[in-house]
Amino acid sequence: MSFTIHGLGVSGGIAIGVAQLMSHATLEVAHLTIGPRMADKEVLRFEAAILAVQAELEQLKLEASKGNAPAELRAFVDLHGMILADPELSEVPKQIIRERRCNAEWAVVQQMERLVAQFDAIDDAYLRERKADVVQVVERVVKVLMGHPGRSALRARKGGKETTDQIIVAHDLSPADTIGFKEQRFASFITDVGGATTHTAILARSMAIPSIVGLHRARDLIRDGELLIIDGTRGVVIVNPDERVLEEYRLRKSELELERSKLKRLKTTKATTLDGVDVLMYANIELPEDVEAARTAGADGIGLFRTEFLFLNRGDMPTEDEQFEAYRKVVKGMEGKPVTIRTFDLGADKALDAMDRVKTNPALGLRAIRLQLAEPKMFRTQLRAILRASKYGKVKILIPMLAHAHEIDATLAAVQAAKQSLREQKIGFDEGIEVGGMIEIPAAALAIGM
């Protein structure tokens, strides 16, 4: 029987393939009462599960760094590691175990529900959807506690050699789950839950595959091996389509692929409006290795180099020479095209291992330019490295999250101090380097007027 399910299309395009159901652990755990003497043993069992999941995430990061996984994927796995290490998740369940004399599975799920309720109360849609990350991390812990560690698995389909594209059907997907897809042939994934800014959606767009989220009961309604049509643009899933509908979508899919091949041939053509105005296309990058993809796509320059990723996942601070080499690699790689380097936007969800105080600050606390001015030595080291790299091409400095005029004054003074120190050492740099700020805080937008 053919039927249609509607959801939220988060990555456009059309995919045609057979359903592959992904199994997932339920978080509906039993509540068991334990004796006073068993509480310490239950806490040890919980601590062992936390350590096991930490090891899993470290292995996933290693796999992601070796393969061709999107840069976003590595960042999401890092975020799950930070959530796991947060005392709200790693310590509070221990208190629940001791106070309520309960099993570890029930304690961690109870704490998860409390955290999810806090996220549900947040007005901002993007931050509210981060509750999915908490759920995914807890699910991994529960799997270990229940004796089923590891990532969610795809159910094996009966039959011979795979000749048809696969479409992943899941209740939800964590960033870790998608790493396992690298070695498999799949055309799309659809999920019961999620929104436009969930990690599933972001990964789908970065991997350029049609995907739909928020389908509610797709995993219950779709059977393993059924033929599916995924219209990521319209947010429609057609299950067991008849031959007429199938032929129509095959034609539309061919037309889209033809258009994409035409666009690839146009990537070196200058972008110009109908009235003759040239439009420059810049790429955003996170690591020096991303330059190759930007050049391949025909970018006119780097519009944003997010330097904070050079600081993450390490126990010490990157030296001036380390940063200089990374910036120089990007600048030289763009072969004279402009490169805008943003000073580190650390804090909030981008915690720095070498600075414990950054981890505990909220999104509007000590971060970005406020952190830079509070840590002048670290800021000066980065400014000197950027200035040194400016000798090798057209570099601009971008300051994140400026809010007040005094921050601008202090930033410009720091830049001048870094320049002077280089002059004294007779180290070359671009004396005319441009310095700009990101207007991303309401206070800054209101201050500049119209």
Side-chain angles (χ1 to χ4, degrees):
M1 180 182 72
S2 178
F3 60 94
T4 301
I5 310 174
H6 295 266
L8 175 64
V10 293
S11 184
I14 294 172
I16 301 174
V18 294
Q20 278 276 270
L21 299 187
M22 171 170 277
S23 62
H24 68 286
T26 178
L27 292 176
E28 295 179 358
V29 298
H31 178 199
L32 304 178
T33 301
I34 61 176
R37 297 180 180 180
M38 293 297 295
D40 288 341
K41 291 184 178 180
E42 199 68 10
V43 167
L44 290 175
R45 194 167 72 91
F46 173 74
E47 290 176 340
I50 293 291
L51 291 175
V53 174
Q54 286 175 340
E56 288 177 11
L57 294 177
E58 287 298 323
Q59 182 61 33
L60 289 168
K61 281 200 298 184
L62 182 62
E63 292 178 21
S65 63
K66 288 181 178 178
N68 57 353
E72 293 91 343
L73 188 56
R74 296 190 294 272
F76 295 157
V77 175
D78 288 336
L79 176 58
H80 280 201
M82 288 186 284
I83 292 173
L84 183 67
D86 192 293
E88 288 290 321
L89 203 56
S90 61
E91 296 296 329
V92 173
K94 298 179 190 178
Q95 299 173 13
I96 297 175
I97 292 171
R98 290 191 173 102
E99 293 171 0
R100 305 188 189 182
R101 296 180 184 177
C102 62
N103 55 315
E105 295 92 334
W106 189 82
V108 70
V109 169
Q110 290 302 300
Q111 176 64 2
M112 177 203 72
E113 291 177 350
R114 188 179 73 84
L115 294 174
V116 166
Q118 292 177 0
F119 276 96
D120 284 334
I122 297 175
D123 291 333
D124 184 271
Y126 178 81
L127 293 176
R128 189 166 59 248
E129 287 182 350
R130 299 287 68 78
K131 68 181 180 182
D133 298 299
V134 176
V135 174
Q136 289 164 1
V137 171
V138 171
E139 184 179 53
R140 299 186 73 84
V141 175
V142 170
K143 279 184 176 182
V144 173
L145 290 169
M146 297 177 69
H148 305 291
R151 71 189 63 162
S152 300
L154 290 173
R155 286 185 176 178
R157 288 209 339 267
K158 296 180 179 180
K161 184 179 178 180
E162 296 290 345
T163 58
T164 307
D165 285 341
Q166 299 178 42
I167 294 173
I168 307 304
V169 183
H171 175 72
D172 194 13
L173 292 175
S174 72
D177 293 329
T178 61
I179 293 179
F181 297 157
K182 292 186 300 179
E183 307 299 329
Q184 303 182 45
R185 184 185 180 192
F186 73 103
S188 172
F189 49 73
I190 59 176
T191 62
D192 292 337
V193 299
T197 60
T198 56
H199 292 162
T200 302
I202 295 171
L203 287 169
R205 290 190 288 268
S206 68
M207 298 167 74
I209 60 173
S211 296
I212 302 173
V213 301
L215 289 162
H216 301 295
R217 295 190 60 206
R219 195 181 175 284
D220 294 332
L221 296 173
I222 297 173
R223 296 181 180 178
D224 208 38
E226 287 187 312
L227 184 63
L228 305 179
I229 295 175
I230 309 300
D231 188 337
T233 304
R234 298 180 180 179
V236 174
V237 177
I238 303 175
V239 184
N240 294 322
D242 60 38
E243 193 59 37
R244 180 182 60 81
V245 174
L246 186 60
E247 187 60 34
E248 177 187 344
Y249 271 91
R250 281 175 177 160
L251 178 61
R252 289 178 56 189
K253 186 172 183 288
S254 298
E255 291 173 347
L256 285 174
E257 290 172 350
L258 180 61
E259 287 298 317
R260 286 173 180 167
S261 65
K262 290 180 180 178
L263 289 175
K264 288 181 180 179
R265 293 197 297 268
L266 291 173
K267 68 181 180 182
T268 57
T269 304
K270 183 178 291 187
T272 307
T273 63
L274 292 176
D275 55 353
V277 178
D278 290 340
V279 179
L280 298 178
M281 304 294 288
Y282 293 90
N284 290 355
I285 65 171
E286 296 166 348
L287 297 170
E289 293 75 17
D290 297 335
V291 167
E292 184 60 33
R295 290 178 56 189
T296 302
D300 294 309
I302 301 299
L304 179 64
F305 180 6
R306 302 182 180 96
T307 60
E308 54 269 15
F309 287 92
L310 300 175
F311 293 74
L312 300 177
N313 305 321
R314 54 186 297 161
D316 59 350
M317 301 295 296
T319 65
E320 180 181 319
D321 286 340
E322 284 182 272
Q323 294 185 60
F324 164 64
E325 290 298 336
Y327 305 149
R328 181 173 65 172
K329 181 178 180 179
V330 172
V331 174
K332 293 185 72 174
M334 292 308 295
E335 299 177 339
K337 294 180 179 180
V339 176
T340 299
I341 301 177
R342 185 178 72 183
T343 54
F344 58 82
D345 181 9
L346 293 168
D349 63 341
K350 289 173 282 190
L352 189 61
D353 293 342
M355 296 182 66
D356 290 336
R357 78 181 200 173
V358 179
K359 294 181 181 179
T360 58
N361 278 277
L364 293 179
L366 189 63
R367 65 172 294 185
I369 185 58
R370 292 185 287 279
L371 174 60
Q372 292 162 23
L373 296 178
E375 298 289 340
K377 183 178 179 181
M378 187 166 66
F379 190 27
R380 179 169 172 167
T381 298
Q382 183 176 41
L383 290 175
R384 281 175 53 93
I386 296 173
L387 288 168
R388 288 170 60 188
S390 69
K391 177 182 177 181
Y392 298 89
K394 187 175 178 56
V395 175
K396 301 178 182 180
I397 300 175
L398 184 64
I399 309 298
M401 299 193 75
L402 285 168
H404 305 287
H406 69 83
E407 292 174 343
I408 298 174
D409 294 337
T411 297
L412 295 177
V415 172
Q416 289 303 318
K419 286 183 176 181
Q420 184 59 32
S421 66
L422 292 175
R423 293 190 192 103
E424 292 172 357
Q425 294 177 275
K426 296 183 179 179
I427 298 176
F429 63 92
D430 178 10
E431 288 280 0
I433 190 170
E434 296 182 40
V435 180
M438 294 188 72
I439 306 301
E440 52 188 329
I441 293 178
L446 294 172
I448 62 174
M450 295 297 292

